[in-house]
Amino acid sequence: MFADNTDYDAFIIFNQHDQKWVEEILLPILEKESKYKCCVHYRDFVVGKDFVTNMADSVHNSRKVIAVVSKTFFSSQWCNFELQQAIYKHIKKGDDGIIVIKIDSVSTDKFPKAIQTKSFIDYSNKIERPFFKTRLLRVLESSRKDKYISQTNV
């Protein structure tokens, strides 16, 4: 557990149809290269615990939530539930704890109203894609620094 009472740097929300992208692109950058501790449902949910409770706990026990948004994302009731939990937590805290990564041509009109005006990473855009890793790591690193600063100022 981190000093801020979270277990993970990030909880990753994605539709099962996007699992290959998460495993081949996202997780190697976060966990292997950058040593972030990520929560992924199929690997980290507690066996025997109610699925909804696992989802809510994962959002609560992670500093950031990364939503891997695609055309199939919003067709999943579980993805929608997890994203709503994240929106509630981070609006209540008043922070920017939700990182949206758009991986295909899904319309931003499908995004919940609470995040439609927030900046996101558009991996599907060939102009933005080269900056994907830098932008993602910058926002995760800034939350690590914020956590460190708040711990040292106690």
Side-chain angles (χ1 to χ4, degrees), residues 92-105:
K92 186 176 170 186
K93 284 178 62 179
D95 70 12
D96 61 348
I98 301 171
I99 303 166
V100 176
I101 303 173
K102 185 176 156 230
I103 63 169
D104 65 20
S105 62

Side-chain angles (χ1 to χ4, degrees), residues 20 35 37 101 106 108 142 148:
K20 182 177 179 182
K35 306 299 183 210
K37 186 175 179 186
I101 303 173
V106 62
T108 55
S142 71
Y148 177 74

Side-chain angles (χ1 to χ4, degrees), residues 20-117:
K20 182 177 179 182
W21 187 89
V22 169
E23 290 176 344
E24 293 179 3
I25 305 291
L26 187 60
L27 285 176
I29 291 169
L30 295 177
E31 294 184 329
K32 288 187 175 51
E33 293 177 30
S34 303
K35 306 299 183 210
Y36 284 102
K37 186 175 179 186
C38 298
C39 179
V40 180
H41 71 275
Y42 63 83
R43 179 186 74 190
D44 299 307
F45 278 12
V46 178
V47 176
K49 187 184 266 189
D50 178 70
F51 198 67
V52 171
T53 303
N54 262 319
M55 288 187 283
D57 288 350
S58 296
V59 167
H60 179 72
N61 293 322
S62 300
R63 287 187 301 113
K64 298 282 188 183
V65 173
I66 299 172
V68 178
V69 178
S70 67
K71 291 178 184 175
T72 59
F73 183 91
F74 295 105
S75 64
S76 165
Q77 69 177 6
W78 301 119
C79 289
N80 283 299
F81 178 79
E82 289 168 333
L83 186 55
Q84 289 303 322
Q85 290 286 311
I87 289 169
Y88 176 77
K89 173 191 174 186
H90 292 289
I91 286 177
K92 186 176 170 186
K93 284 178 62 179
D95 70 12
D96 61 348
I98 301 171
I99 303 166
V100 176
I101 303 173
K102 185 176 156 230
I103 63 169
D104 65 20
S105 62
V106 62
S107 171
T108 55
D109 293 341
K110 298 236 183 224
F111 290 16
K113 295 260 187 259
I115 61 171
Q116 280 185 355
T117 59

Side-chain angles (χ1 to χ4, degrees), residues 2 4 8-10 29-31 33-38 63-66 96-97 99 121 132-151:
F2 297 118
D4 63 355
Y8 299 97
D9 291 300
I29 291 169
L30 295 177
E31 294 184 329
E33 293 177 30
S34 303
K35 306 299 183 210
Y36 284 102
K37 186 175 179 186
C38 298
R63 287 187 301 113
K64 298 282 188 183
V65 173
I66 299 172
D96 61 348
I99 303 166
I121 298 170
F132 150 74
K133 179 178 168 182
T134 303
R135 291 181 72 205
L136 175 62
L137 295 178
R138 187 181 312 136
V139 71
L140 286 169
E141 187 60 31
S142 71
S143 68
R144 256 190 193 170
K145 286 178 185 171
D146 291 346
K147 182 179 75 169
Y148 177 74
I149 290 168
S150 68
Q151 290 171 14

Side-chain angles (χ1 to χ4, degrees), residues 116-127:
Q116 280 185 355
T117 59
K118 304 279 186 187
S119 296
F120 61 91
I121 298 170
D122 191 351
Y123 185 84
S124 68
N125 182 317
K126 290 180 182 179
I127 294 170

